Amino acid sequence: RVGLRKHSSISRVLLGGIFNKGFSTQTGSKLEGKVALITGAASGIGKATATKFINNGAKVIIADVQQELGQETAKELGPNAAFIACDVTKESDVSNAVDFAISKYNQLDIMYNNAGIACQSPASIVDLDLAVFDKVMNINVRGVMAGIKHASRVMIPRRRGSILCTASITGVMGGLSQHTYSVSKSSIVGIVRSLASELCHHGIRINCISPFAIPTPLVTDELTRLYQGADSETIIGVVNRLGTLEGAYCEPIDIANAALYLASDDAKYVSGHNLVVDGGFTVFKSLALPAPDKVEK
Ligand code: NAD
């Protein structure tokens, strides 16, 4: 399935070009005058979305626990990007990041709760490591709740805003990852539904995006540990061959495009939604019928 087009794109990934090419030159004005705060935006999906938002007229605050990388990313994205150190497990950090947006730009229009981690965890529930479970839920779920809480604090008085969260197809379907990560991501879908019921009364929309597998550090670091000795091109090839949609694979730009839609007025009547970006992977399973001469009694 990895054809020539895919190989050339894999090389782009390895050169770091995937986070710049393909979308940095595509500009628009869908977010003109808007201010966005994106957690976990030093890298991967968050960085691609920050780039997309800036190219559509937004000012973006990159909030991430990785300080050096976050600062580099903000510098790379130019004057409309700013970095603030933020560990989403610390409510005060999340609160400060929101207050930073207000003090710097006087408003917060878009809050994208995207920071998350993967984990290695035994396959069986009987071997579940509850310390790992707590750590993952602390970042992937509690961190998202903190983001929604503090974004709502400043959005409710303005009676407008768009809140986004990154869920995952592993939260849509069972069996796509170990339980801990899967449970953390299915929680996001529930959080969005629950919060939509309150925030709609204040004119605030909340939605999540469920991406398919993308070879960002979150995934490649885990697979590098699993396939010890495999080079990064091999690892990226493994991830990109997981999909079912012929001729394409899931990239950070696909999630950035979904985020732009949900954050902008294009989605002005969309709330409580889980936008699955998976090339159709979770909606079907092909039945491999045996050939007529191979049917067993
Ligand atoms: P990534 O590793 O490139 O980015 C994750 C970012 O989150 C990093 O910059 C990291 O420093 C930051 N982060 C981690 N813990 C944090 C904390 N406590 N506080 C603040 N920032 C923190 O990976 P990514 O794929 O871009 O991940 C972004 C989101 O997408 C995650 O929520 C992930 O679960 C989700 N997701 C990823 C995939 C995939 O295949 N890559 C698929 C579905 C969902």
Side-chain angles (χ1 to χ4, degrees):
R1 292 253 289 106
V2 181
L4 275 179
R5 199 173 76 74
K6 288 185 178 180
H7 276 308
S8 66
S9 290
I10 287 168
S11 305
R12 274 199 286 128
V13 177
L14 293 172
L15 292 169
I18 197 165
F19 301 126
N20 303 312
K21 265 192 174 165
F23 53 88
S24 65
T25 51
Q26 292 172 357
T27 57
S29 56
K30 286 178 189 260
L31 301 181
E32 205 60 58
K34 305 276 188 198
V35 177
L37 170 55
I38 308 177
T39 67
S43 161
I45 291 168
K47 180 178 177 182
T49 305
T51 309
K52 188 85 195 175
F53 282 10
I54 288 169
N55 288 343
N56 274 272
K59 313 254 190 244
V60 175
I61 291 153
I62 291 161
D64 205 290
V65 75
Q66 292 191 73
Q67 295 207 26
E68 216 171 293
L69 189 62
Q71 269 154 359
E72 270 174 36
T73 299
K75 202 169 159 198
E76 186 186 323
L77 300 194
N80 290 328
F83 172 75
I84 185 159
C86 172
D87 178 347
V88 297
T89 65
K90 296 182 182 145
E91 185 178 355
S92 56
D93 279 13
V94 177
S95 179
N96 284 342
V98 168
D99 292 342
F100 177 69
I102 302 298
S103 64
K104 193 169 171 62
Y105 297 117
N106 242 342
Q107 67 196 63
L108 179 64
D109 303 283
I110 301 153
M111 174 79 185
Y112 187 3
N113 301 290
N114 164 73
I117 58 162
C119 64
Q120 279 187 320
S121 183
S124 172
I125 183 66
V126 296
D127 300 317
L128 181 70
D129 184 334
L130 284 163
V132 173
F133 183 84
D134 287 346
K135 183 183 169 193
V136 172
M137 293 299 275
N138 205 14
I139 297 172
N140 292 8
V141 181
R142 190 177 180 276
V144 168
M145 284 302 273
I148 298 169
K149 172 181 169 179
H150 288 283
S152 300
R153 164 169 66 77
V154 297
M155 286 177 177
I156 286 174
R158 292 181 74 219
R159 303 198 67 74
R160 71 181 112 121
S162 173
I163 299 176
L164 306 177
C165 310
T166 309
S168 163
I169 56 158
T170 64
V172 173
M173 243 178 128
L176 297 180
S177 78
Q178 31 67 34
H179 302 305
T180 296
Y181 184 74
S182 194
V183 167
S184 77
K185 290 302 179 178
S186 63
S187 304
I188 302 302
V189 180
I191 286 171
V192 162
R193 286 188 187 143
S194 184
L195 270 297
S197 72
E198 177 185 347
L199 294 175
C200 70
H201 300 300
H202 303 285
I204 299 164
R205 298 184 295 106
I206 179 165
N207 295 286
C208 60
I209 302 169
S210 284
F212 187 72
I214 305 173
T216 61
L218 174 132
V219 171
T220 55
D221 290 355
E222 288 300 316
L223 290 182
T224 304
R225 274 192 284 274
L226 185 68
Y227 300 114
Q228 280 170 13
D231 60 30
S232 46
E233 188 160 1
T234 305
I235 300 283
I236 290 166
V238 166
V239 180
N240 285 339
R241 276 190 293 272
L242 294 171
T244 46
L245 182 64
E246 196 55 48
Y249 52 82
C250 198
E251 300 176 271
I253 180 62
D254 296 311
I255 312 311
N257 285 334
L260 175 63
Y261 164 67
L262 289 171
S264 75
D265 288 345
D266 283 352
K268 74 179 177 51
Y269 211 66
V270 180
S271 192
H273 187 69
N274 177 27
L275 180 46
V276 178
V277 181
D278 72 345
F281 184 88
T282 54
V283 297
F284 68 89
K285 191 167 170 73
S286 300
L287 279 179
L289 285 174
D293 59 332
K294 299 264 166 46
V295 178
E296 291 174 22
K297 287 211 169 137

